[in-house]
Each structure stands twice: as C-alpha cells, then as structure tokens.
Amino acid sequence: MSLLGRDLALDLGGASTRIYIRGKGIVLDEPSVIVRDLRTGKVIGYGADAAGGTGGETCWPVSGGLPVDGELARRMIRHFIRKVHWHPFSRPRMVMALPDDSTPIERKALREVAYDADARGIVMIPHALAAALGAGLAVKDCAGHMVIDIGRDSTRIAVLSGESVVATTTVPGGGHAMDRAIVRLVESEYGLLIDEGEAESAKLRAGTEWKPLDRHVTVHGHDPETGRERSVPLPVQGIYEATRQPVEAIVRAAVETVERCPAELTADLGERGAVLVGGGALLRGLGRRLRAELCMPVRRSERPLESLALGLGRCMENLGLTAKLRRR
Ligand SMILES: Nc1ncnc2c1ncn2[C@@H]1O[C@H](COP(=O)(O)OP(=O)(O)OP(=O)(O)O)[C@@H](O)[C@H]1O
Ligand SMILES: [Mg+2]
C-alpha cells in the first residue's frame, strides 16, 4: 500500500454497498443498513452486522445512489472504508458513480458525504458509463448500447454511444417496489399480512431462471382475522403477476428513452438490444418479458449485482480512462 493509501471504488447502493480495491477486486459487499437503538438513537450496528434485526430501528441512509440521511450515510461509508482500508496516516482516493439525473445540490451532497467519510480525493463517473463498463459493453464503440440498472429504489435506463451518454431516464421503483407489490397481492388474495422482508425472500426463492411457472413458495405472515400467524403456498405465477406494474413502468421508460435517440442509434439498439444489471435484473422471467415488450434482444449481465462496482473498479484500474471520463 502506498504511503498515501489505496484507491478504491465505492458502489453506494440503496440495498448494498460494494467496495472494489485495486488489484484485489470486490472486497466488501454488505447491506447499506444501520440499526439504531430505539430509545437513545445510538448506532448499534452497520451493514452485515445490522441486517437480520438486532431489535432496534433499521435505517437505509442511501437511495438511488444518493444520501437520504447525510449523517448516517457518512457514518456508514466511514465504517465500511475502515473495514477494508485501515491505514495509520492516510485516507483513500475514491471512484464513485454519479447518478445520471441528479441535481447539482444532490451531487454536492454526495461529494460532501464522501469527503466527510474520509476520502482524500473523489472521482465521479457517470453511473450509466460505469454500469455499461461493468456489464462488459464496448463503450468506446460508436454503435448504440442500452443498459438498464434495476436497483432497490430506482431503475436507471441509459443509451450510450462512443463513451457518451446519449439519453437517460430514471424510474422511481426497483426491487423494493416489487416487494411491496407482492405484499399487496398476498394481502388481497390470501388475507395475510406479510412484511417486505418476507416478500423479498419469496421473490428470491422463486429463482432467477425462466421456467414454466408451476412452483410455489411458502410465505409466512399474520392473519388479522384470527390474530394468528399463518403460512400460505404462493404460486410463483403470483409473484410474476404482482410485479407486472413495476415492470411495465420500466418498459414504458425504456421505450421513451429509445424514442429520444437519433434514428441511427435506434437501429443499433434493435440489433444489439439492452443489457440488464442490478439485483432486480435477477427477477424470474424479467428478461423474457422485456424482450417481448421492447422488441429487442435483452440479456442479463454476467454478475448483475456486482456490475456497477466492477465498472467503477475498471475506471479506477485504468486511470487514463478515468481522467478522460472526468472531463465530461
Ligand atoms: N434473485 C433475485 N430475484 C429478484 N430480485 C432480486 C434478486 N436478488 C436481488 N434482488 C433485488 O435486487 C435489489 C437490490 O439490487 P442491487 O443490489 O443492485 O441494488 P443497489 O445497487 O443496492 O440499489 P440502487 O442501485 O437502487 O442504489 C433488491 O430489491 C433485491 O430484492
Ligand atoms: Mg445499484
């Protein structure tokens, strides 16, 4: 490690924070969560130590790549950095993603949080570029590429050509909206109240590959009529149906994004299609549904959960590219 400390890439996700270190790859992947004592408000756990409930108040201080609670976000980032970058004298330089549709005030807030969390220097890479690089797209190529990042609270759609971001759209709603849709379905169809964690677990247990939808996953919840706990077998088809509305919002936004592009890029997109990144990309049947609705090839990146961190890591490893991107 140099005297000035290591460089690291930080994917500050609403669901998970990932840190990539030069020469090592992804060294930290933990939930972006903090638990506070209900009575005193004191932080009692961060990340993996906090997930699973320690009885306090659970806070998610980041959403859509931006801090929603600056102080908690700062403390969480500092905690994660110290876990992977302990150095007696120095602070790391950090490469981070700049949310595409963020306002100058939001960007300033993100920078401030990162500096206050111990960064020595910060390089911001447009989110779309980092996601595309992490998905293995040849971004230098002048042909059009589309990347759709389905995270926890938002979905970011972008068309790129020749290292430039041509069009972007951010849709409020990602994996968390799908969980809420499952909660509503279980309540209306089965009269059972389940929490969002249980809905997410059912979604994950439904698997990631498209297969005939004949399986069931069991969900546990509270029956308000009897006041008792109860389980029901939820058909995987139900999860597919429940997530129809959030998926439709993504499709509409993707179609509008393509419509804003020059005609020659639209033709490229019809041929090359879109690549999906982010955890939401793992939703069973999603690729198939998007392919049918967008009428273009749609594929999932190899490591969707890690794509953004890998793209940021690539920018960091290749400082020439970083300097170039920085001028944009
Ligand atoms: N196998 C799966 N099937 C369906 N959804 C999944 C699966 N695995 C993860 N997810 C969902 O992906 C979401 C998290 O994705 P990801 O880790 O990319 O988000 P993030 O990068 O932390 O958030 P953001 O990009 O919005 O800031 C969660 O809502 C989670 O439920
Ligand atoms: Mg993300």
Side-chain angles (χ1 to χ4, degrees):
M1 199 189 299
S2 84
L3 262 184
L4 291 173
R6 274 200 168 114
D7 290 344
L8 52 86
L10 177 78
D11 166 12
L12 189 60
S16 300
T17 300
R18 293 159 186 119
I19 298 183
Y20 179 110
I21 287 190
R22 186 191 293 282
K24 285 195 165 184
I26 295 175
V27 292
L28 179 137
D29 185 345
E30 294 200 21
S32 302
V33 68
I34 284 187
V35 173
R36 291 197 297 187
D37 186 282
L38 280 174
R39 205 167 42 81
T40 61
K42 199 167 162 273
V43 174
I44 50 177
Y46 293 94
D49 302 333
T54 43
E57 178 203 6
T58 305
C59 313
W60 299 86
V62 173
S63 179
L66 293 165
V68 283
D69 181 320
E71 174 55 17
L72 287 186
R74 179 190 70 79
R75 293 180 66 175
M76 184 182 77
I77 298 169
R78 185 192 285 235
H79 171 85
F80 289 146
I81 293 177
R82 291 201 171 160
K83 252 184 133 166
V84 298
H85 182 281
W86 186 86
H87 194 291
F89 322 113
S90 82
R91 302 178 302 160
R93 282 193 306 187
M94 299 198 326
V95 175
M96 295 176 74
L98 188 63
D100 299 311
D101 296 332
S102 52
T103 64
I105 292 175
E106 288 168 336
R107 292 168 188 213
K108 188 163 172 269
L110 180 60
R111 276 186 174 278
E112 276 175 11
V113 161
Y115 275 117
D116 290 348
D118 264 2
R120 170 164 57 95
I122 301 165
V123 177
M124 295 280 189
I125 308 289
H127 172 279
L129 263 169
L133 277 167
L137 295 179
V139 293
K140 285 196 178 141
D141 197 338
C142 284
H145 297 280
M146 180 178 241
V147 58
I148 303 181
D149 181 352
I150 308 172
R152 178 179 192 262
D153 307 304
S154 60
T155 296
R156 284 133 298 180
I157 302 163
V159 175
L160 302 105
S161 160
E163 286 182 3
S164 295
V165 181
V166 179
T168 62
T169 310
T170 301
V171 188
H176 192 212
M178 296 178 191
D179 302 340
R180 287 196 304 259
I182 295 167
V183 169
R184 287 195 296 273
L185 172 107
V186 174
E187 186 180 358
S188 62
E189 299 266 314
Y190 303 92
L192 192 66
L193 303 178
I194 61 168
D195 63 28
E196 286 169 2
E198 181 67 3
E200 182 178 30
S201 155
K203 181 181 74 175
L204 306 191
R205 281 180 282 131
T208 63
E209 296 311 322
W210 170 261
K211 294 187 201 121
L213 299 171
D214 56 3
R215 273 205 311 128
H216 289 78
V217 288
T218 304
V219 289
H220 305 276
H222 175 79
D223 186 334
E225 282 218 345
T226 61
R228 295 227 179 103
E229 298 292 304
R230 172 160 77 83
S231 299
V232 293
L234 174 66
V236 169
Q237 176 73 32
I239 294 177
Y240 185 76
E241 294 300 330
T243 54
R244 186 175 291 278
Q245 200 200 349
V247 172
E248 267 170 18
I250 296 172
V251 169
R252 270 199 309 277
V255 169
E256 281 163 24
T257 312
V258 174
E259 281 169 1
R260 294 207 307 275
C261 293
E264 62 274 19
L265 283 189
T266 313
D268 285 344
L269 293 176
E271 241 175 66
R272 291 171 178 250
V275 58
L276 305 180
V277 305
L282 289 165
L283 186 76
R284 179 169 161 149
L286 180 73
R288 195 174 191 271
R289 197 140 77 176
L290 290 179
R291 215 167 295 135
E293 303 264 357
L294 292 172
C295 303
M296 60 162 80
V298 175
R299 69 177 175 86
R300 193 189 279 159
S301 79
E302 230 169 81
R303 293 161 69 181
L305 289 158
E306 296 174 336
S307 293
L308 188 67
L310 292 173
L312 291 169
R314 237 187 101 188
C315 293
M316 192 189 62
E317 302 270 8
N318 182 350
L319 282 175
L321 178 64
T322 312
K324 200 166 162 201
L325 297 174
R326 206 175 172 180
R327 287 199 293 272
R328 286 172 193 282

